[in-house]
Amino acid sequence: MAKSLLIIGYVWPEPKSSAAGSRMLQIIKLFQTAKYNITFASPCAKSDNAFNLEEIGVKQVPIELNSSSFDVFVKKINPNIVLFDRFMMEEQFGWRVVEQCPQALRILDTEDLHGLRKGRQLALKANKAFGLNYLFNDTSKREIASIYRCDLNLIISEAEMDFLELKFKVPKTILCYLPFLLEKISTSEIEKLPGFESRQHFISIGNFLHEPNYNAVLYLKETIWPLIRTQLPKAELHVFGAYISQKVTQLHNEREGFLVKGFAKDVSEAMQESKVCVAPIRFGAGLKGKLVDAMQNGTPCVTTNIGAEGMYGKLEPNGFIEDDSQEFADKCVHLYRDKDLWMQKQKNGFDIINKRFQKNQFQKEFLNRIEEISKQLENHRTHNFTGQILQHQSMQSTKYMSKWIEEKNK
């Protein structure tokens, strides 16, 4: 009998709009290789950019927040595994899954550590050094509680594995490192890419619903781009991204070569036309999809230490890592002008994709881990006593708030 997986999505996947959307499709395809029947459910309204999951054999079901209709729905499916897309979905629906399907393996896909991103944002806003006082914020408290309540948690970055194990003291038994799952870039694919001479200008890309992306573009506009333009007066910066708001479009200035282009229908095409990708990310977490897009399309990149976090391991980056604005600008210009340097950094990018993010490397290991935990689920949960505490009724504020809202809505 085929095994079943229920994914509870924070949003419907939009692979053309965000790295989170691409990541979700990678996870779906991973479970499909193990022949799971998959249902994707979400309380979120669908946008025009949403991927049609029915096309790849995944059932799509809208669900309601704070409604016992979900209890009936999940009990009927009775899934072997429930995967929560981000901790907010576990908060909303986790207790219902526990009540209706206690034997279902509960997995949380963190996407990135929201508490880490929030802490860095708070530190940047206060113009202070990031430390434990910022890391241990209210978002982190909710997120870590959610992590403990699940049987397994997917962590996209090695740096975040370290944060969880060393700073939050989360046991490794409930953590699983699962980065982007990518195909190998072949020599023939590399040879087809446009070369140094046929590319021009700089590119910045990112979904503008994501606050770190807007912050990075504003930083580019106000600080870094003027430093680049003084050295390259004819260069342009092409800013792409989904969900562009007025505060982004008003940054457009043709005289300054700062061109806000909006949604990129084809990210690969936009990347391949560009000479250098710029990603001056000042707060955030997880792995940056824009850096992966740049490497896959042979576009060297200049980013910050936060942008580079968890991406390169011990390998040389596909460009430069700089936090100082003048150094950042100088490295951009250097890459833009020096063909030999550019080609070396491009090659580094291909090596990173092929050595660090190969899906075959992680797929089998992950499925084996699920198999092992499923076979001795009770024992696995016994060893996570903190998780049991957090399932106790005295800790269930989200459950009782939800029940109260449900009654109120009747």
Side-chain angles (χ1 to χ4, degrees):
M1 190 175 161
K3 292 168 286 190
S4 65
L5 164 70
L6 169 65
I7 301 173
I8 303 176
Y10 179 64
V11 292
W12 298 95
E14 296 184 18
K16 289 188 174 179
S17 302
S18 72
S22 302
R23 156 91 167 168
M24 181 50 74
L25 280 192
Q26 290 165 13
I27 289 172
I28 286 170
K29 285 171 183 172
L30 189 161
F31 276 102
Q32 285 181 325
T33 63
K35 304 286 188 280
Y36 276 81
N37 286 330
I38 304 173
T39 302
F40 191 101
S42 177
C44 182
K46 247 188 207 158
S47 84
D48 294 340
N49 297 334
F51 183 85
N52 183 4
L53 293 168
E54 304 271 357
E55 286 179 1
I56 57 168
V58 174
K59 194 176 177 187
Q60 302 180 126
V61 180
I63 51 175
E64 284 182 61
L65 293 169
N66 308 308
S67 170
S68 56
S69 60
F70 177 82
D71 302 350
V72 177
F73 160 74
V74 77
K75 196 164 190 175
K76 188 178 176 186
I77 295 179
N78 194 22
N80 300 90
I81 298 175
V82 177
L83 187 143
F84 303 101
D85 167 31
R86 289 165 254 208
F87 80 89
M88 298 79 90
M89 292 298 94
E90 189 281 331
E91 281 185 337
Q92 286 288 342
F93 297 100
W95 62 271
R96 292 184 184 273
V97 171
V98 169
E99 286 186 358
Q100 303 302 324
C101 308
Q103 290 311 303
L105 180 74
R106 299 187 302 277
I107 300 177
L108 172 62
D109 181 29
T110 55
E111 288 291 355
D112 58 33
L113 288 184
H114 293 63
L116 175 60
R117 188 194 328 142
K118 182 69 177 173
R120 284 172 168 164
Q121 185 175 9
L122 293 168
L124 180 69
K125 200 173 178 183
N127 200 22
K128 296 271 176 70
F130 175 71
L132 291 184
N133 56 324
Y134 286 109
L135 179 61
F136 294 168
N137 57 66
D138 285 350
T139 302
S140 285
K141 288 166 191 168
R142 289 170 56 197
E143 189 166 33
I144 298 301
S146 186
I147 283 171
Y148 270 108
R149 285 192 297 264
C150 289
D151 301 309
L152 193 62
N153 297 273
L154 309 186
I155 312 301
I156 200 167
S157 154
E158 289 162 327
E160 294 190 357
M161 287 287 284
D162 287 344
F163 270 106
L164 289 167
E165 288 177 55
L166 303 175
K167 306 294 185 194
F168 293 109
K169 311 297 181 191
V170 176
K172 209 169 185 173
T173 50
I174 59 170
L175 301 177
C176 177
Y177 172 55
L178 193 72
F180 288 127
L181 307 168
L182 307 175
E183 299 284 354
K184 192 167 185 184
I185 304 170
S186 66
T187 309
S188 61
E189 285 172 307
I190 291 168
E191 285 167 355
K192 286 177 193 164
L193 292 170
F196 179 83
E197 280 88 2
S198 55
R199 295 174 182 239
Q200 56 179 345
H201 306 312
F202 293 84
I203 185 172
S204 166
I205 194 161
N207 178 342
F208 286 101
L209 289 179
H210 195 54
E211 194 60 32
N213 290 332
Y214 171 67
N215 182 274
V217 168
L218 195 61
Y219 181 45
L220 271 169
K221 168 78 173 178
E222 293 175 349
T223 308
I224 292 172
W225 186 242
L227 297 172
I228 293 173
R229 274 283 277 201
T230 56
Q231 300 180 67
L232 296 169
K234 290 186 178 169
E236 294 172 4
L237 173 62
H238 297 177
V239 178
F240 290 94
Y243 301 104
I244 283 205
S245 61
Q246 193 184 344
K247 67 180 183 179
V248 182
T249 53
Q250 67 190 17
L251 301 176
H252 181 91
N253 188 314
E254 292 196 15
R255 191 171 49 79
E256 295 171 3
F258 197 96
L259 310 179
V260 177
K261 298 278 193 174
F263 182 71
K265 286 186 180 143
D266 189 331
V267 173
S268 294
E269 191 180 300
M271 275 288 179
Q272 287 176 30
E273 287 172 353
S274 307
K275 196 169 270 187
V276 176
C277 172
V278 287
I281 297 153
R282 295 195 290 173
F283 66 93
L287 292 179
K288 310 301 175 288
K290 54 179 73 62
L291 299 190
V292 169
D293 290 331
M295 289 188 280
Q296 287 176 320
N297 291 290
T299 312
C301 188
V302 184
T303 189
T304 56
N305 274 289
I306 286 176
E309 189 176 71
M311 186 62 74
Y312 304 123
K314 290 177 181 170
L315 300 178
E316 285 294 312
N318 68 319
F320 294 102
I321 303 164
E322 291 292 349
D323 290 331
D324 178 78
S325 54
Q326 185 64 62
E327 285 291 324
F328 192 103
D330 290 346
K331 291 293 195 298
C332 287
V333 173
H334 194 17
L335 257 183
Y336 197 82
R337 285 175 169 162
D338 188 330
K339 182 180 177 180
D340 290 341
L341 176 69
W342 187 91
M343 288 181 73
Q344 179 54 53
K345 296 299 185 183
Q346 183 192 59
K347 182 184 177 299
N348 291 352
F350 300 139
D351 287 345
I352 291 156
I353 296 289
N354 288 347
K355 289 176 181 173
R356 280 183 56 76
F357 301 111
Q358 285 310 292
K359 68 176 186 184
N360 297 342
Q361 190 184 333
F362 298 99
Q363 206 160 271
K364 194 175 175 189
E365 201 178 305
F366 170 63
L367 292 170
N368 286 344
R369 184 96 182 266
I370 285 175
E371 216 46 51
E372 280 168 31
I373 294 172
S374 299
K375 280 176 188 166
Q376 39 96 45
L377 189 55
E378 205 170 313
N379 185 44
H380 178 79
R381 286 176 177 167
T382 302
H383 285 88
N384 176 16
F385 187 63
T386 306
Q388 291 179 50
I389 292 169
L390 292 166
Q391 293 288 4
H392 190 259
Q393 52 86 13
S394 64
M395 296 290 175
Q396 296 285 295
S397 62
T398 49
K399 168 180 171 178
Y400 293 110
M401 174 59 83
S402 184
K403 281 184 170 289
W404 179 76
I405 293 169
E406 189 180 335
E407 287 303 315
K408 189 169 160 284
N409 288 341
K410 281 180 181 174

